Amino acid sequence: MQYMTAIQLRTELFREMSPLLDNESAMKKMLTFIRTLSPTKPAKAESGWADRFVGAWKEDRSADEIVSDIRSARTTNNIDVKL
């Protein structure tokens, strides 16, 4: 399968569409079709959607215990990087 870059796709579309640009009836049909491909109004974000992620799990440990566990699980990187 061959993939086209955005520039190649745009060039190909313009090449194929150029004969239609002079035909008003064909242009109206094409624009009507294109409008059906995308929603007329952008979807509105649900109010408070991020609240679903707050407190997403139940935990028996205290905040201090969780912080301590995170800090004790940290590791150091021993990779030498030559610049």
Side-chain angles (χ1 to χ4, degrees):
M1 176 181 287
Q2 181 182 3
Y3 294 100
M4 299 175 85
T5 66
I7 293 172
Q8 290 170 328
L9 178 59
R10 183 177 180 201
T11 302
E12 185 66 19
L13 286 171
F14 277 121
R15 187 177 65 75
E16 293 293 327
M17 288 175 45
S18 61
L20 299 174
L21 297 177
D22 294 330
N23 184 334
E24 188 175 338
S25 175
M27 281 297 292
K28 285 182 181 179
K29 287 179 183 178
M30 186 171 33
L31 288 172
T32 301
F33 173 72
I34 290 170
R35 286 186 184 112
T36 65
L37 298 177
S38 62
T40 54
K41 293 181 182 178
K44 201 172 192 180
E46 179 185 326
S47 179
W49 66 270
D51 294 339
R52 291 183 293 180
F53 302 106
V54 176
W57 76 87
K58 302 222 185 284
E59 183 63 59
D60 294 333
R61 298 176 294 168
S62 70
D64 289 333
E65 289 173 316
I66 295 171
V67 169
S68 176
D69 288 346
I70 292 171
R71 287 188 175 146
S72 66
R74 290 181 181 167
T75 60
T76 56
N77 187 350
N78 296 327
I79 298 173
D80 289 332
V81 177
K82 301 201 190 260
L83 300 176

